[in-house]
Amino acid sequence: MGFEVSARRVLAAALSGIALTTSGALLVLAWQRGMFATLLGLTLCAAWLVLGGCWAASRDLSGRRRSEERDPTTDGPPLAALLDQTPLPLLRLTGGGARALNRASRTLFATDDRLSPTPPALNDPRETRLRHEGRSWRIERVAGSDQSLVLLVDIEAERRAAEVHADNEMIDILGHELLNGLSPIVSLADSAQVAAERGDARLPGILATLTRRIEGLERFTRAYRMLARLPDPVQAPVAMDELVGDLSRLFDQRFEGRVQLSTIVPEGMTGRCDRDQMTQAIWALLHNAAEAALAGAVSPVVTLTVEREEDRLILSVADTGSGVPAPERARIFRPFHTTKPEGSGVGLTLARRIARAHGGDIALLPIAVTTFRMAVPDGAGR
């Protein structure tokens, strides 16, 4: 096709050249013989040929420009083709209306171009959620002067992806910890068998070590089951001073005066939470703090503070231990991660899961005194 077009262009240029040359020769001859009418006609013909050539050239140039704009092979694929490959729905909002920009949005709203009607949530810049066709979408906006670009993110798909990631991470951790626990057991069992065959006096010590390793693996398995089976919280109003009093008595009984517990809680304060789960979370923080304080260089003291900030319940646990080393701060909430010989590495992870199940979180504050701060939404009366 390109060869045929080029041949036509060459032929047209050749014929135009011949016509102009002939017209020029006849013009000279007519001038010499005084044939002024013929001279005028030939002049018009020559002008027509020149102007026609210029018009054809300009038309060909503009046609090539339009072809290049349409041709996806000139500078890569066009924008529309790239947008169609985007798996998330893209919309353009302008003048109160919405237009679908890619295949995902056209499929979602069953339209070829404009949405009719436009969901009200799209036109409200304060809205961050859209419910459409039984699915929930998160609205991400990029606002311009007279229009805005909207990206819709499938919340359910995002949640499933996060769950798969968490499950894979948990499986990796579980496999790692089980292998770490089983390897020395296998080695000790082999040693015990050899010692028994030889009547080695070290057999009782080997068996005792083997028993402890098996018990440690059992504790790990129980801790994993407890972490994996955490039920949804059942929230109700809880008297916080009563809850803290129960924890204080439990703390004194567990540490028998070796660690001083100081509590700060407003009298008569109530919070809305799952009492059993919150008790378990706070106890995990208190137990962790007490062990850290006992390993410190100063008199061991743990401080539990309960307060309310606006609509959040804040529980802080501080200790006088030597602090958390910088490399450990990023791993401290990782399941089964522990620096203690007899630790399970579950307490802080469980406390964070309980806080997040309540819609809050736990953080290790970046201050000199080691302080864990749990913040959860609180709908109880002040």
Side-chain angles (χ1 to χ4, degrees):
M1 181 67 180
F3 177 77
E4 294 177 359
V5 173
S6 299
R8 286 200 299 268
R9 288 175 181 169
V10 171
L11 181 60
L15 291 175
S16 297
I18 293 172
L20 285 172
T21 303
T22 304
S23 297
L26 291 175
L27 278 170
V28 172
L29 183 61
W31 175 266
Q32 291 175 347
R33 296 188 178 185
M35 302 169 66
F36 296 107
T38 303
L39 180 64
L40 178 61
L42 289 171
T43 303
L44 293 174
C45 287
W48 179 81
L49 286 171
V50 173
L51 292 175
C54 293
W55 176 78
S58 64
R59 182 180 179 184
D60 181 63
L61 180 60
S62 62
R64 276 190 294 173
R65 287 178 177 172
R66 287 195 297 271
S67 177
E68 288 176 357
E69 290 175 355
R70 293 192 300 267
D71 187 5
T73 63
T74 55
D75 291 315
L79 180 60
L82 290 175
L83 292 179
D84 270 346
Q85 301 306 313
T86 305
L88 302 179
L90 282 168
L91 303 165
R92 184 173 66 190
L93 304 181
T94 178
R99 298 185 64 178
L101 294 182
N102 64 348
R103 185 183 297 113
S105 59
R106 291 192 293 270
T107 302
L108 176 62
F109 294 100
T111 182
D112 291 331
D113 186 16
R114 293 188 176 276
L115 276 62
S116 182
T118 301
L122 293 179
N123 286 324
D124 188 350
R126 297 169 298 179
E127 285 288 344
T128 58
R129 294 287 188 274
L130 170 68
R131 185 74 179 174
H132 184 73
E133 297 294 331
R135 296 163 68 185
S136 295
W137 302 83
R138 189 175 75 249
I139 303 175
E140 301 288 351
R141 304 175 188 269
V142 178
S145 57
D146 57 350
Q147 61 182 351
S148 59
L149 183 67
V150 169
L151 176 70
L152 300 179
V153 181
D154 190 338
I155 296 176
E156 182 65 20
E158 194 176 44
R159 184 186 64 80
R160 287 196 298 269
E163 288 179 350
V164 169
H165 176 74
D167 289 344
N168 290 338
E169 184 180 42
M170 184 65 75
I171 291 171
D172 288 342
I173 294 170
L174 182 59
H176 179 266
E177 294 297 329
L178 285 176
L179 286 175
N180 283 349
L182 288 173
S183 295
I185 289 175
V186 172
S187 178
L188 286 168
D190 290 340
S191 300
Q193 184 178 2
V194 172
E197 292 173 352
R198 296 177 178 177
D200 196 325
R202 293 177 299 174
L203 179 60
I206 295 174
L207 291 176
T209 304
L210 181 60
T211 301
R212 287 193 293 271
R213 292 301 302 169
I214 293 174
E215 290 174 348
L217 188 59
E218 182 185 17
R219 286 195 300 271
F220 166 78
T221 305
R222 291 181 182 277
Y224 172 76
R225 185 172 62 178
M226 178 178 63
L227 187 63
R229 293 184 177 180
L230 182 68
D232 293 334
V234 179
Q235 301 188 44
V238 175
M240 299 308 297
D241 51 355
E242 182 180 310
L243 185 148
V244 170
D246 291 345
L247 285 167
S248 297
R249 286 185 287 273
L250 184 63
F251 188 93
D252 291 338
Q253 190 176 35
R254 170 65 179 81
F255 293 100
E256 300 175 341
R258 292 178 296 148
V259 183
Q260 178 187 345
L261 175 63
S262 173
T263 61
I264 304 172
V265 54
E267 185 178 354
M269 178 182 177
T270 60
R272 188 172 181 83
C273 60
D274 185 313
R275 182 187 177 106
D276 292 338
Q277 288 191 15
M278 192 59 62
T279 299
Q280 196 170 13
I282 299 172
W283 174 249
L285 295 176
L286 289 173
H287 193 276
N288 181 78
E291 290 184 338
L294 284 171
V298 299
S299 179
V301 178
V302 173
T303 303
L304 169 61
T305 304
V306 182
E307 55 190 335
R308 181 179 280 112
E309 290 183 1
E310 298 180 352
D311 58 346
R312 294 187 304 167
L313 185 64
I314 309 296
L315 301 104
S316 302
V317 176
D319 65 72
T320 57
S322 56
V324 180
E328 296 294 325
R329 298 180 76 91
R331 300 192 296 265
I332 197 165
F333 290 106
R334 184 182 175 91
F336 312 114
H337 173 74
T338 181
T339 57
K340 303 165 188 171
E342 299 298 324
S344 65
V346 168
L348 293 179
T349 305
L350 182 62
R352 172 173 269 190
R353 284 199 61 184
I354 290 173
R356 289 180 172 177
H358 281 72
D361 207 347
I362 293 180
L364 175 59
L365 300 185
I367 56 179
V369 178
T370 304
T371 304
F372 287 89
R373 184 177 187 267
M374 177 165 58
V376 296
D378 177 34
R382 297 176 185 272

